[in-house]
Amino acid sequence: MLRLFLSFLILAGLQAQAKADCSEELKGILKRVLNSGPFHVDGKMSAKSHDSVLSADMNPPDAMHTRITTGNKTVEMMKIGPKFWTNDGKAWHQMPEAYGAMAGKMTTSLEDIAPDYVQGAQCLGEKTVDGQTYLAYSFKLDMQGGLFSAQGMLYVDPKTNLLARQIIDGEIFGIKNHTEKQFTFDPSIKIEPPPK
């Protein structure tokens, strides 16, 4: 499950950038996500016969609390600075700090990795989805060897210029998936260590 979650994080960041005409605009979107304070993500992912629901509180650069529910099982992960915990639904367990360091490196290195693999970015202007108007961007992602591939849409709130929605059809480690996420920026989000 940790591998799936880290893959989810990598793809989430990779999908927010592009090398074509909208390269700089999309790079700015990712920077704003990582530099605009705490935010909440609600998401749904379908892969093979599994449907998962994601809920996450993020406080970049070094704190996150995620909950991934698949069927009737929920797995939680929390990172605060170098500390990393997991909860398989029974109890919290602190993991070696190497896990937290690995997650942190993956997040902070996304800006350097992504532009080499994203193609066909297009700025689509204003689009209305579910009654809300967004600035829309489309893109394709193709990493060598088929490690990651995706096509998707990003929707940015024109009032705040922050990422609001993301819809992705992709493949991670050979597994096809469909992901939809909504982002809410909220300065009141606090991430505290799990209870002992």
Side-chain angles (χ1 to χ4, degrees):
M1 185 59 72
L2 178 60
R3 181 179 177 189
L4 177 63
F5 171 70
L6 292 176
S7 301
F8 190 85
L9 276 184
I10 292 171
L11 190 59
L14 289 174
Q15 291 158 347
Q17 296 192 53
K19 195 173 182 177
D21 294 340
C22 291
S23 165
E24 292 306 311
E25 289 179 56
L26 294 182
K27 188 180 288 188
I29 292 168
L30 180 59
K31 285 183 179 178
R32 285 190 297 276
V33 168
L34 297 177
N35 294 294
S36 294
F39 62 95
H40 180 78
V41 180
D42 285 308
K44 299 183 293 184
M45 183 171 71
S46 300
K48 285 190 173 179
S49 59
H50 301 290
D51 292 332
S52 299
V53 175
L54 167 75
S55 177
D57 289 324
M58 311 293 285
N59 193 351
D62 62 358
M64 66 180 180
H65 179 193
T66 68
R67 293 162 293 281
I68 300 175
T69 301
T70 304
N72 59 1
K73 180 168 183 169
T74 298
V75 174
E76 291 184 81
M77 285 169 270
M78 187 181 295
K79 177 186 182 305
I80 301 175
K83 296 184 178 180
F84 195 86
W85 298 267
T86 63
N87 184 343
D88 61 1
K90 298 176 183 173
W92 285 101
H93 304 282
Q94 187 164 352
M95 305 296 286
E97 289 190 3
Y99 283 85
M102 181 172 60
K105 284 181 183 177
M106 287 183 174
T107 301
T108 57
S109 65
L110 293 176
E111 285 187 44
D112 297 328
I113 297 171
D116 292 333
Y117 301 103
V118 181
Q119 307 165 352
Q122 295 183 10
C123 301
L124 304 177
E126 291 189 351
K127 300 285 181 186
T128 301
V129 179
D130 295 334
Q132 298 290 322
T133 300
Y134 302 102
L135 298 175
Y137 301 84
S138 67
F139 64 90
K140 292 182 181 178
L141 172 70
D142 186 14
M143 289 185 72
Q144 294 175 345
L147 183 62
F148 298 102
S149 63
Q151 58 184 13
M153 297 287 298
L154 299 178
Y155 298 96
V156 174
D157 183 337
K159 294 177 183 175
T160 63
N161 215 18
L162 293 172
L163 182 61
R165 299 177 69 140
Q166 185 181 65
I167 300 174
I168 307 296
D169 286 294
E171 189 170 319
I172 306 175
F173 299 115
I175 300 173
K176 293 183 182 296
N177 63 77
H178 175 80
T179 304
E180 298 185 17
K181 290 180 280 183
Q182 294 189 347
F183 297 75
T184 305
F185 290 81
D186 181 353
S188 70
I189 291 173
K190 305 287 184 209
I191 300 174
E192 305 287 348
K196 294 184 179 180

